[in-house]
Structures are given as C-alpha cells and as structure tokens.
Amino acid sequence: MYIVSRPKPVFDDRNQVLAKEDAASASFPPGYIRFLQRFGAGTYRGWMNVHLPDMEVLKPFAEYDLWEHDEDSPITQQQIGECVAIGTTVDGDFLAVHPQTAQLLWLPRHAEHLKALSLQAREQEDEELYTMVLDEIYGQVYGSVREEAVYYEPWSGSRSHRFLRLPPGQDQLSLPDLAGMCRADFPPDLSIETNYTGLLFFRELGGYVRFNYANKQEVAVMYEQDAQQAFVVMEQWLLSKGCVAY
C-alpha cells in the first residue's frame, strides 16, 4: 500500500481508542484498531475516511426518517442512535457497528435501506488486513472490484493545496496530454489513471497532482507544507504549460 504522506499513528490516543472499544462493546472489523495505531486517521483510496470510533455522530439520526425500516431491516430506527461510526465515505455514507447485535452496518446517504455487511472470516489481526476488509465492503456496496493501485492519505494536519485551471482554446493541450507530459518530466512514485481522473503521486511533495478529466480543466496540487520548494517547481511547470490559478 502506498502511503501518500507521513503517517500520524494513534499513539497518545491509543488508550482512548481501546477504551471506546470496550465501552461500546463493539465488534470492530478485523485489523481496524491496528490500522489506526499504525497509520492514523485518513482517507483510503480516495473513497473511505477511516477515523476513531465515534459514538455520538449517529445519535441524532435516530430522530430522522432517512431510511425505511421493515421486518428485513437489520436494526430499528431507534437503534441507529446506538451505532458507533468507524468510517464515512466522501459521499456521506456511514460505516458503523451496532454494539448490541455486533453487526457491521452500511448507512447510505442516497438509498432508502440500511445494509448489514457480512465479511469473510479471518483469523489474523494486522493493519494490512483492514485494507482487504475495506475492499470487500466496496465490492458488497457497489458490486464492483477496483483494479487501480492501493493508496492511503493520512490526515497530517499540515496538508496544503493549490487549484489551477487549464482553459480551453485553440492549440491548447488537453488535460490527459498535460498529465502525460507531467508524467514524463516528473516521473511519479505512483500513477493512477481512470476515465475520470489522473493521479500522479510524489513522495517529494508528500502528496500528488490530480488531473480532473471529468471537467476537462481542473488541476489540483496536494502537498505538505514542508514541501514548499517541490510545490513551487511543480506549480511553475504547470503555469508554463498554460494553466492559470483560480
């Protein structure tokens, strides 16, 4: 697994994490606690935000009629307030456990029914295992398998960003062409490309350059504050190719 920037492991908060686990009597997914202790909170594959157990965030949702509840629902509406959130997607879905029933639950933002998730049995308990769990959850929820490289963005608290735009025009480069030129001039430590986006990761930046193929113009540079010199070099290169700052 590629780590985008310096991890911020849960050390000082380790007892807090384990105390919350005991207090909630929750059966967390395999590898979850170990993952936090090694890599800290962050975002997995640009999709799932992994964070400390949160016993408060879902309590107000017990009062909202966001999901339908019938005899097939894994929990009642009132039991939503008892759930412990352990992750949220970038789209606002919740991954949670219900302590009393020991169920792993998916609370979707844009669907009407909660979903109980069933994981393959695993005996080992290590931090890398949790990435397999998250990939399995992705497959159950979306019905597809992600083929691109695995990466994790720890929340360092010192991340900066700059958004640029490649304006359309005659004889202007396309965004995929610009990404190809960037890849050639600055060989990345990891490269991911889909129909919607191109990502070039650089350890020197502690981040990456994102080319938004979907809107055909946006370029974003994500970098650590102590990588200012590397950022300036990258920004000047992008400006020299026709990009303009927002």
Side-chain angles (χ1 to χ4, degrees), residues 47-48 89 93-94 105-108 114-115 117 137 141-142:
W47 164 64
M48 175 66 74
T89 70
D93 312 294
F94 285 96
L105 300 171
W106 185 260
L107 291 77
L114 306 179
K115 181 181 178 67
L117 302 171
I137 291 172
V141 172
Y142 299 107

Side-chain angles (χ1 to χ4, degrees), residues 2-194:
Y2 181 89
I3 307 299
V4 175
S5 58
R6 188 178 305 111
K8 193 174 182 181
V10 176
F11 288 127
D12 295 338
D13 295 332
R14 177 176 178 177
N15 291 333
Q16 178 186 3
V17 174
L18 298 178
K20 285 184 177 181
E21 178 184 18
D22 293 338
S25 299
S27 179
F28 291 122
Y32 166 69
I33 294 296
R34 290 284 297 274
F35 186 91
L36 283 173
Q37 289 172 346
R38 178 174 178 184
F39 301 115
T43 304
Y44 178 70
R45 301 185 82 171
W47 164 64
M48 175 66 74
N49 298 319
V50 181
H51 54 68
L52 294 171
D54 190 332
M55 293 181 287
E56 303 297 326
V57 67
L58 288 171
K59 286 184 178 179
F61 287 77
E63 306 298 325
Y64 307 150
D65 295 323
L66 297 179
W67 300 284
E68 294 185 6
H69 294 270
D70 53 30
E71 62 274 9
D72 295 324
S73 298
I75 59 173
T76 66
Q77 181 171 334
Q78 289 70 33
Q79 287 176 316
I80 293 175
E82 302 170 356
C83 291
V84 181
I86 60 172
T88 57
T89 70
V90 295
D91 292 325
D93 312 294
F94 285 96
L95 179 64
V97 293
H98 184 253
Q100 282 69 38
T101 62
Q103 294 182 98
L104 182 63
L105 300 171
W106 185 260
L107 291 77
R109 180 182 179 185
H110 300 297
E112 297 178 346
H113 297 278
L114 306 179
K115 181 181 178 67
L117 302 171
S118 178
L119 301 176
Q120 296 180 2
R122 297 180 175 92
E123 295 182 0
Q124 71 266 35
E125 177 72 15
D126 59 58
E127 58 275 9
E128 296 287 350
L129 176 60
Y130 193 55
T131 65
M132 299 170 58
V133 168
L134 291 176
D135 290 338
E136 185 178 345
I137 291 172
Y138 186 94
Q140 288 190 40
V141 172
Y142 299 107
S144 62
V145 177
R146 302 185 68 176
E147 302 293 344
E148 68 268 18
V150 176
Y151 68 97
Y152 188 66
E153 296 180 67
W155 297 341
S156 65
S158 56
R159 174 68 61 84
S160 294
H161 61 270
R162 178 66 56 85
F163 289 97
L164 305 171
R165 186 172 66 90
L166 184 67
Q170 188 174 5
D171 300 325
Q172 181 64 281
L173 291 168
S174 70
L175 216 54
D177 287 340
L178 180 63
M181 293 175 64
C182 186
R183 188 183 298 109
D185 287 356
F186 302 93
D189 297 294
L190 177 70
S191 176
I192 296 177
E193 190 164 52
T194 70

